């Protein structure tokens, strides 16, 4: 999608979001809209040189955004998955509509439970593995795809399965 | 077993283990160094920071700690709280 299209989409999305939000004043709203557009343009490199930092450097990008931000972010070395209170996510509308689990989702969940019962993997290892997914993949993957990636990484690392076995199994799918 | 009683003032350690290598931490970045109040003890649980790496994980006391919200997020009104589960080894007397 073109940068222009991204801006239009961001504008529509933000309009929907703001229907349900109560800005404290127009200045806050204006800055929030600019912030949201900046996120949509991330990678498009057209709005401002400040947004040309790559996605792996989220901390630096947050600090740059702070100058133009209704809610200043802490200048701390947080991990990318440690997102609580970070302004860019506050500005994103949250989809709270119930959604059905797919067969894939259920299968991954069942697999994790079986691995836990067999003592092969704790839920804490699952979370550690999810947090270790590189930032770009982390944001792209769905909830249970993060899980299967963590499960796979963990089982290979612990020697429960080998890379060769994994490759062979995937070749049969 | 628990070192802190309800009502005790505590400070969250201003520590950043994630800068020193792979870790799994359940203490959010936005309360590191912040002061709060112990609300209740929740019991003792095997330390998830160790469980995440399949290491021996001794039990650690876990607390509900209340923080004033406005100083943390610059949002909300006086009296708004943030309530977080924090393990004892992340807390020190304030």
């Amino acid at each position: 999608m073109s940068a222009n299209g991204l801006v239009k989409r961001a504008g529509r999305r933000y309009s929907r979001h703001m229907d349900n939000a109560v800005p404290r004043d127009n200045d806050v709203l204006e800055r929030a809209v600019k912030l949201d557009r900046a996120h949509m343009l991330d990678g498009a490199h057209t709005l401002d040189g400040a947004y040309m930092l790559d996605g792996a450097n989220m901390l630096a990008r947050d600090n740059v955004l702070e100058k133009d931000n209704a809610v200043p972010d802490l200048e701390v070395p947080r991990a990318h998955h440690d997102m609580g209170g970070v302004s860019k996510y506050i500005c994103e509308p949250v989809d709270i509509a119930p959604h059905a689990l797919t067969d894939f989702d259920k299968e991954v969940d069942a697999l994790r439970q079986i691995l836990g019962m067999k003592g092969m993997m704790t839920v804490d290892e699952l979370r550690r593995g999810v947090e270790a997914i590189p930032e770009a993949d982390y944001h792209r993957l769905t909830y249970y795809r993060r899980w299967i990636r963590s499960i796979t990484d963990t089982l290979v690392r612990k020697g429960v399965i080998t890379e060769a076995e994994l490759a062979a199994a995937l070749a049969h799918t | 077993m628990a070192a802190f009683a309800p009502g005790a003032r505590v400070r969250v350690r201003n520590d950043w283990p994630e800068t020193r290598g792979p870790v799994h931490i359940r203490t959010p970045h936005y309360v590191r160094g912040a002061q709060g109040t112990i609300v209740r003890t929740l019991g003792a649980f095997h330390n998830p920071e160790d469980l995440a790496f399949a290491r021996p994980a001794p039990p650690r006391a876990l607390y509900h700690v209340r923080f004033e919200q406005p100083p943390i997020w610059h949002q909300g009104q006086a009296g708004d709280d943030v309530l977080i589960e924090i393990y004892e080894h992340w807390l020190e007397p304030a």
Side-chain angles (χ1 to χ4, degrees):
Chain A
M1 181 180 292
S2 70
N4 192 33
L6 285 170
V7 169
K8 286 178 180 171
R9 191 173 70 177
R12 284 196 301 274
R13 194 165 56 120
Y14 211 86
S15 295
R16 287 198 301 275
H17 173 53
M18 294 313 295
D19 285 344
N20 299 317
V22 183
R24 278 172 290 187
D25 55 53
N26 286 336
D27 188 42
V28 170
L29 174 60
E30 185 181 334
R31 281 184 287 170
V33 171
K34 286 167 70 176
L35 178 67
D36 198 50
R37 287 180 177 171
H39 297 154
M40 295 306 297
L41 282 167
D42 190 26
H45 301 173
T46 55
L47 187 65
D48 184 317
Y51 304 114
M52 293 180 69
L53 293 164
D54 67 34
N57 200 345
M58 178 178 280
L59 173 65
R61 190 176 54 195
D62 283 349
N63 291 342
V64 170
L65 286 171
E66 183 179 328
K67 296 172 188 159
D68 188 25
N69 191 337
V71 183
D73 287 326
L74 297 169
E75 294 190 33
V76 296
R78 69 175 181 84
H80 63 80
H81 58 82
D82 188 359
M83 301 188 290
V86 175
S87 59
K88 64 166 49 168
Y89 303 110
I90 290 176
C91 291
E92 296 274 339
V94 176
D95 177 10
I96 58 171
H99 55 277
L101 294 171
T102 66
D103 288 345
F104 169 82
D105 296 343
K106 294 176 183 175
E107 193 168 355
V108 172
D109 197 289
L111 180 60
R112 216 301 301 170
Q113 291 194 45
I114 290 168
L115 291 168
M117 284 188 281
K118 289 183 172 294
M120 291 178 169
M121 180 180 182
T122 64
V123 70
D124 305 276
E125 289 176 282
L126 174 76
R127 290 168 176 159
R128 166 201 169 191
V130 168
E131 292 169 0
I133 297 172
E135 182 179 351
D137 289 347
Y138 181 91
H139 290 294
R140 185 172 62 241
L141 295 172
T142 63
Y143 185 80
Y144 279 105
R145 289 194 180 278
R146 292 175 189 169
W147 276 38
I148 198 64
R149 174 121 165 213
S150 172
I151 290 169
T152 306
D153 289 348
T154 302
L155 296 184
V156 169
R157 187 179 60 249
K158 297 178 86 169
V160 177
I161 58 174
T162 66
E163 292 273 10
E165 288 170 335
L166 177 63
L170 290 173
H172 280 88
T173 58
Chain B
M1 166 133 191
F4 301 107
R9 290 287 291 169
V10 292
R11 182 185 297 105
V12 181
R13 281 173 42 216
N14 191 9
D15 189 23
W16 301 89
E18 52 269 81
T19 63
R20 301 193 291 271
V23 288
H24 171 63
I25 296 172
R26 302 193 62 76
T27 305
H29 72 277
Y30 52 81
V31 292
R32 312 265 179 97
Q35 291 191 30
T37 303
I38 299 288
V39 176
R40 63 180 66 86
T41 58
L42 298 168
F45 301 88
H46 295 289
N47 186 357
E49 297 176 7
D50 291 321
L51 289 174
F53 289 82
R55 298 188 295 244
R60 304 270 194 175
L62 183 67
Y63 301 89
H64 261 160
V65 184
R66 178 164 53 220
F67 301 86
E68 294 177 35
Q69 180 182 305
I72 293 178
W73 286 330
H74 308 283
Q75 286 191 331
Q77 302 170 352
D80 288 348
D81 292 330
V82 178
L83 187 68
I84 307 180
E85 296 172 4
I86 303 182
Y87 281 90
E88 187 171 283
H89 62 284
W90 274 94
L91 300 173
E92 53 196 21

